[in-house]
Each structure stands twice: as structure tokens, then as C-alpha cells.
Amino acid sequence: MDWTHLPGLADYRQTLAAMEDRVARIARGEADEAVWLLEHPPLYTAGTSARAEDLVAPGRFPVFEVGRGGQYTYHGPGQRVAYVMLDVAARGRDVRRFVAALEAWVIDTLAEFGVRGERREGRVGVWVTRPDKAPNLDGSVREDKIAAIGVKLRRWVSFHGISLNVEPDLGHFDGIVPCGIREHGVTSLVDLGLPVTMADVDTALMATFPRHFPMLDTAAAAR
């Protein structure tokens, strides 16, 4: 497994092109699986299910249409993006199980900081309850999204991945309806009152990753 930290704020188009090239080489058996850890400058991405009305402020940041699943998401400084390029064919050819493993990876990472991340039926991503906030109009406890997940497969190799809010400017999410969900908000580790750094998050991501994505037996994984 090749872990790479991309320095600074990674240009989105250049990173996407490099990721697609890496995916093609993995599919041909010419490169190892990889996880890239990075941050982007402020931007919005539109997945294959994005609705035009969910782009609230179209002129605020650059908007990129991408082939991953999902709707509108935000990327920006203070958010840890992990692009995950794995051989899903060798890992069972089960896309739903793969997405669930990504969610479980994030949940375990959050647990390293004492945060309980949760799944919600019909809502991809990871959520936290906010009893510290005023309840919803129906009296239910508020929930905020702390991590988004969006993936694409090409020849059974995954790309795109997860974005975990560490300390982004949460006001930047106001230009979209994140993932098409109007009823709930977004949060971050620092917003939850945790003085967590990006380096802390990277250490936790790398430590918890093997629980959900064990190393492949190279011989068994041969196509």
C-alpha cells in the first residue's frame, strides 16, 4: 500500500488527472494500491446525482463536475481528503460492502478522538448527534455531517474517497446543499471542541485503515 501526503493545497484538475492515471496503472497491474492524503483550495464538486437547485451560490467557488457518486460536496483547507485507490475486484467485487468499509474506517478514526460517528439509512457519509444544539422542529436531536463519501470504480479499481472535516470554514458549505440534504448541518472535529490537528487525523486514519482494508495476498489478487 502506497501512502502519499500531497503538500499544500492540491490543484483539483491536476490531482484528478494524476489519480485517474494511477487507477489505470493499478488496473493494468503496473502500480500498487494507494491512498493520497491532501487538502484542496475552496471548491465545490458535483457528483452524478447533483441537482442544479442545490448549487445555492454558483459564483462563490469553482465548481467541478466529476464522475463519482453523490451530489454536491465542498472541499477546502482544513478538510482531510483521502483519495482511495484500491482493487475492489480482489476485495470481493461488492460495492456496497466497500462503501460501508469506508464509512466504518471513518467511524473508527473518529473514535480515536472520542467522537461517536454514526451511519444513517439512506444518507451516505458519517454523522454525529448534536444534543448541545437546539432540537429540530419535530423535537428530534440535531445531527451534523462530519464526513462525506463518494467513490467511482473503473475496471474495479476505486477512486475519489472520503473527506473528513477537521477545521474547515463551515461557512463555505453555505454555497451548496451538501449531498442534497437540507434537514441537517455540517460540523468538524474542531467545531465539536476538539483541538485536533491534521497530523493527528492522518495518524488515526493510517492506524485504523488495516482493520477494514487488510493487505492483499498478491498471488490471490492476480487478475
Side-chain angles (χ1 to χ4, degrees):
M1 179 65 63
D2 176 16
W3 287 85
T4 300
H5 285 79
L6 277 63
L9 298 179
D11 178 86
Y12 189 78
R13 291 191 188 280
Q14 291 178 5
T15 305
L16 183 60
M19 180 167 51
E20 290 182 338
D21 176 72
R22 181 59 176 258
V23 165
R25 291 191 291 120
I26 294 171
R28 294 194 300 264
E30 299 171 359
D32 292 332
E33 296 181 308
V35 179
W36 293 352
L37 302 174
L38 60 134
E39 296 171 78
H40 284 303
L43 59 93
Y44 298 129
T45 66
T48 54
S49 301
R51 300 185 297 252
E53 61 269 25
D54 288 343
L55 182 58
V56 179
R60 186 171 186 183
F61 298 126
V63 179
F64 297 90
E65 294 186 4
V66 293
R68 58 150 179 81
Q71 301 185 37
Y72 279 105
T73 59
Y74 166 77
H75 293 316
Q79 182 188 72
R80 173 51 82 216
V81 172
Y83 287 138
V84 181
M85 291 156 274
L86 299 182
D87 186 341
V88 179
R91 296 176 181 275
R93 292 179 181 261
D94 188 328
V95 177
R96 289 189 178 184
R97 187 174 71 180
F98 177 69
V99 172
L102 290 172
E103 291 175 332
W105 176 34
V106 174
I107 288 169
D108 276 4
T109 297
L110 293 172
E112 295 288 300
F113 306 105
V115 174
R116 180 177 177 177
E118 300 177 346
R119 297 184 178 95
R120 288 293 180 263
E121 187 68 28
R123 289 191 250 145
V124 175
V126 179
W127 301 79
V128 294
T129 58
R130 299 301 305 270
D132 56 310
K133 289 186 174 182
N136 295 314
L137 293 177
D138 62 2
S140 59
V141 176
R142 286 276 301 275
E143 296 179 349
D144 287 342
K145 192 170 193 175
I146 195 167
I149 295 174
V151 296
K152 182 177 181 179
L153 298 183
R154 182 171 296 159
R155 293 182 60 189
W156 285 103
V157 178
S158 67
F159 57 119
H160 297 284
I162 69 169
S163 55
L164 174 58
N165 296 332
V166 182
E167 192 180 7
D169 183 336
L170 296 179
H172 288 179
F173 287 87
D174 294 343
I176 57 172
V177 178
C179 300
I181 299 171
R182 297 178 182 274
E183 300 82 9
H184 304 285
V186 292
T187 190
S188 68
L189 286 166
V190 171
D191 182 53
L192 293 173
L194 299 167
V196 177
T197 68
M198 199 68 74
D200 296 331
V201 169
D202 291 345
T203 298
L205 285 168
M206 296 177 73
T208 57
F209 184 84
R211 302 177 195 172
H212 308 284
F213 304 100
M215 290 287 289
L216 291 175
D217 182 323
T218 304
R223 292 168 177 262

